[in-house]
Amino acid sequence: MSRINGFVGRRDFLKFASVVGIAATAFRDSFWNPEQTAVADIHPVNPNLISPNEAVRRLLDGNQRFIDQKRKYPDQSLEHLRLVAKAQYPFASILGCADSRVPAEIVFDQGLGDLFVVRVAGNVVSDTVIGSLEYSTTVLGSQLILVLGHRRCGAVAEAIKNEPLPGRIGLIIEGIKPSVERIKLRTGDHMQDVVIANIQYQTEKLQESSTILAKLLREGKLKIVGACYDIDTGKVNIIT
């Protein structure tokens, strides 16, 4: 490639740009076309893959440190910041509620680059959420997706009330309503029952709505787990 005063010549630059464009299109199609990716071999770049069970153990160990107020504040040094600036290899992905009282890195005592976190009110699954989690698993190599709901969730409460809401808030609530229907005839703590049902519903929806995630699940390269956070105690419980 010719250079003039340190700059690439226009003709060579156009050739180079054309090659880059073709490569980018191929990359986009292979990763973001669900039908193609569903049948393609997926090779994440993560050189330090952690099994789903080990990832769950790390999260629960960190949560216990948080509860006991014995946090280690791992991976938060300036040195680690510079390290993950080069590349990220999160050991787990979290789909959590956007509630300000449930910050994943804090309640699991994790640091920079440890978790790939997607947060939305009611931990509701949508196309953009699915796309983000497909990226964290196929490209970054995370082998665990934890769907994290929490007690006394405001979005769940609105779904139970089933009243008109302003703006686009209703779009989120619509995504929770199937969970309300699931426990309609149950007795007991209705609110908490819906919170649990919503965690389970969103977990199932992730598995059923993505050919990419379904393929990883079949191959044993991914585990999707539900969990509930208690905003009164700080404890995370796995939902089976």
Side-chain angles (χ1 to χ4, degrees), residues 1-3 8-24:
M1 187 178 290
S2 63
R3 292 176 177 269
V8 178
R10 182 175 181 275
R11 181 179 299 174
D12 287 326
F13 174 79
L14 291 175
K15 290 179 181 177
F16 176 73
S18 176
V19 171
V20 170
I22 293 171

Side-chain angles (χ1 to χ4, degrees), residues 57-105:
R57 187 193 66 78
R58 285 195 184 189
L59 291 175
L60 294 182
D61 284 352
N63 178 242
Q64 192 61 52
R65 294 196 301 270
F66 170 71
I67 295 169
D68 296 338
Q69 292 296 290
K70 295 180 179 179
R71 285 171 282 182
K72 294 181 178 179
Y73 303 100
D75 299 333
Q76 297 181 32
S77 66
L78 181 59
E79 180 183 1
H80 190 76
L81 182 151
R82 290 168 176 164
L83 177 66
V84 297
K86 301 172 184 177
Q88 60 168 323
Y89 303 118
F91 72 83
S93 301
I94 310 289
L95 168 56
C97 181
D99 192 296
S100 62
R101 299 166 293 181
V102 197
E105 287 86 354

